[in-house]
Amino acid sequence: MPEHTAASRLRLSGLCFVLQILNILLFAVFVRYSPEGSPGQCPPQLNCSRRNQDSGFQQPRFQDVHIQVLLSFGLLVAFLSRYGPGNVAISILVIAFAIQWAVLIQGFFYFFLNGKIYVGAQSMVSADFCTAAVLISIGAVLGRANPAQMLLLALLEVTLCTLNEYILLSLMGVSDSGRSLTVHTFGAYFGLMVSRVLYQPHKDKRKREEWRDTGYQTDVFAVVGTIYLWIFWPSFTSTSTVHGNTKNWAVLNTYFSLVASTVATLILSPVLYEESTPRMVQIQDATLAGMAVMGMAGEMLVTPFGALIAGFLVGLISPLGFRFFTPVLYSRLKIQDTCGVHNVHGLPGILGALLGTLLTLLATADTYGDRLELVFPLVAQGSRTVTDQALIQLGALPLTLLLAMLGGRITG
């Protein structure tokens, strides 16, 4: 046993060394700071539609997104009470690697010019989005994948996540500013497919009770993670929304959905479970679900009462999924979803994509006014009809599921 432990430590140490040296060499060859101070000075060869002003480093939104990924998502993997601090340490290790790798991979797709990758504030924000998808996937395999395997998962998932994002946002022109598809749905189903491949009947059966173990430490992590979600997620949702008018919509719609999903969960949880006192983990899950459903629709014309309805519905669906669907995943599909990412990210992400598709049909100049060009520029220019845009929004869902599940199986 000690020899096995020593070998595992050396394996992780060696992998970290190799990956970090690889990143350093690639950064030395390709990465340079962007000389442009604003999108208006951006050369036409670069994909400037993906960029905010580099002064984003001086704006609270950049720090909000980074804190969101580091603390909120990082604390979510502290689900196993016996290994909480260790899981947080591993998540920080994955974040540290994934951000570097995402800057490189996304740079080749979006910021590559004359043989160099030009990085700025938006490069880091985009890398944070991709890292969030990796952390969601890790939640599905927590307890059965070691740190070295999680690093390899990040290596492959960042590449496939960036490919999916490029196809959807750049080639297809899908509107998904809050990342219902490219972060929540992709990360959830990528992780679930990895979990399916890693299924080990005897080992999983022995550990199921350990995974269910909860205690004071878990509640403390859930309290801190939930507070950070409430504070910083609206900025996470609205960061890639370039224009101020739609940012306001995204922030407000996210908050309305958040509060409604929390109330809905507290309505249903006492009915489904014997506990009379709500657990912070349940509120944390409701918070995530309510925000994930607004990922695509947040910048669209949801209206305040519409956001409340969407949040309320997903707040009911998430606990129902934990109570009834998670056991089916394990018994019938052989998928052990440790942190319940299917109920918290997967289903809300799909519902968010469907909601966004329906709201796209309302995208007319009469309903959106001057915001139409900000949310659906191709519709405003006359290059697409509203129906075409809605079909493209809908078609992005099966494409994301296909890439996520195929990539997850290969990775597993």
Side-chain angles (χ1 to χ4, degrees):
M1 189 67 176
E3 293 180 0
H4 176 73
T5 304
S8 299
R9 290 201 304 267
L10 290 176
R11 187 181 303 115
L12 176 61
S13 176
L15 182 61
C16 288
F17 177 79
V18 170
L19 292 178
Q20 188 57 48
I21 293 300
L22 175 64
N23 280 331
I24 290 173
L25 292 175
L26 291 174
F27 266 70
V29 174
F30 293 107
V31 179
R32 300 293 184 270
Y33 288 124
S34 175
E36 296 84 22
S38 67
Q41 300 173 357
C42 180
Q45 296 92 332
L46 289 180
N47 190 340
C48 301
S49 63
R50 293 267 307 167
R51 304 181 53 208
N52 290 337
Q53 293 184 2
D54 280 349
S55 59
F57 279 116
Q58 302 171 4
Q59 299 173 358
R61 288 189 304 111
F62 172 77
Q63 287 86 345
D64 290 354
V65 173
H66 207 59
I67 291 173
Q68 176 75 13
V69 171
L70 185 63
L71 288 177
S72 300
F73 276 105
L75 289 174
L76 295 181
V77 298
F79 182 81
L80 304 183
S81 61
R82 289 184 59 187
Y83 307 108
N87 288 330
V88 175
I90 292 170
S91 73
I92 293 176
L93 170 64
V94 172
I95 291 169
F97 166 72
I99 287 177
Q100 298 176 72
W101 189 242
V103 167
L104 285 166
I105 299 300
Q106 292 183 335
F108 286 115
F109 279 95
Y110 298 113
F111 310 114
F112 194 70
L113 177 64
N114 297 328
K116 301 298 179 184
I117 297 171
Y118 293 95
V119 300
Q122 185 60 26
S123 305
M124 293 298 293
V125 171
S126 299
D128 280 336
F129 278 124
C130 199
T131 301
V134 174
L135 292 176
I136 291 171
S137 298
I138 286 177
V141 299
L142 198 62
R144 287 167 299 134
N146 61 45
Q149 291 171 325
M150 290 183 182
L151 283 175
L152 293 176
L153 182 149
L155 180 74
L156 294 171
E157 183 172 1
V158 164
T159 305
L160 292 172
C161 179
T162 302
L163 176 63
N164 180 63
E165 186 180 88
Y166 180 75
I167 293 173
L168 265 59
L169 304 186
S170 295
L171 299 184
M172 296 176 61
V174 173
S175 176
D176 187 25
S177 66
R179 303 303 196 264
S180 280
L181 287 175
T182 56
V183 171
H184 296 285
T185 303
F186 186 92
Y189 288 97
F190 187 99
L192 289 173
M193 188 54 66
V194 174
S195 179
R196 173 63 183 87
V197 177
L198 296 181
Y199 175 73
Q200 296 175 307
H202 302 295
K203 185 177 180 180
D204 283 355
K205 184 177 180 180
R206 187 171 62 250
K207 284 195 170 186
R208 286 185 76 190
E209 291 303 319
E210 179 181 290
W211 285 331
R212 290 174 181 170
D213 179 30
T214 57
Y216 174 77
Q217 187 181 70
T218 304
D219 283 338
V220 170
F221 281 122
V223 169
V224 178
T226 303
I227 290 173
Y228 276 106
L229 286 170
W230 276 71
I231 295 173
F232 295 111
W233 193 288
S235 294
F236 185 90
T237 304
S238 64
T239 294
S240 61
T241 302
V242 178
H243 300 279
N245 289 339
T246 51
K247 285 176 191 173
N248 296 337
W249 279 4
V251 170
L252 292 173
N253 288 330
T254 300
Y255 269 122
F256 289 136
S257 177
L258 159 63
V259 295
S261 65
T262 302
V263 172
T265 294
L266 295 182
I267 291 172
L268 201 55
S269 293
V271 178
L272 298 176
Y273 303 98
E274 296 179 358
E275 298 176 352
S276 58
T277 304
R279 297 295 299 272
M280 274 305 302
V281 171
Q282 296 169 346
I283 298 177
Q284 175 182 272
D285 293 339
T287 302
L288 281 166
M291 294 170 171
V293 77
M294 280 295 111
M296 178 182 288
E299 67 175 354
M300 299 179 187
L301 190 63
V302 184
T303 71
F305 77 90
L308 289 174
I309 293 174
F312 184 78
L313 291 177
V314 80
L316 296 175
I317 290 172
S318 180
L320 287 171
F322 276 104
R323 182 66 178 84
F324 299 108
F325 200 74
T326 297
V328 174
L329 279 178
Y330 181 79
S331 61
R332 300 292 179 86
L333 302 179
K334 311 303 179 185
I335 297 175
Q336 175 61 53
D337 185 5
T338 309
C339 291
V341 299
H342 181 258
N343 309 308
V344 175
H345 297 281
L347 285 177
I350 290 176
L351 292 174
L354 295 176
L355 176 61
T357 300
L358 291 176
L359 291 171
T360 302
L361 296 174
L362 301 176
T364 64
D366 293 336
T367 55
Y368 275 68
D370 58 353
R371 300 185 189 210
L372 180 63
E373 187 175 359
L374 309 181
V375 182
F376 300 107
L378 294 178
V379 174
Q381 296 166 9
S383 303
R384 283 182 187 166
T385 65
V386 171
T387 304
D388 291 338
Q389 183 67 41
L391 289 174
I392 288 174
Q393 298 283 132
L394 182 62
L397 175 57
L399 178 59
T400 297
L401 291 173
L402 176 63
L403 289 174
M405 297 174 73
L406 180 61
R409 184 166 185 82
I410 294 172
T411 301

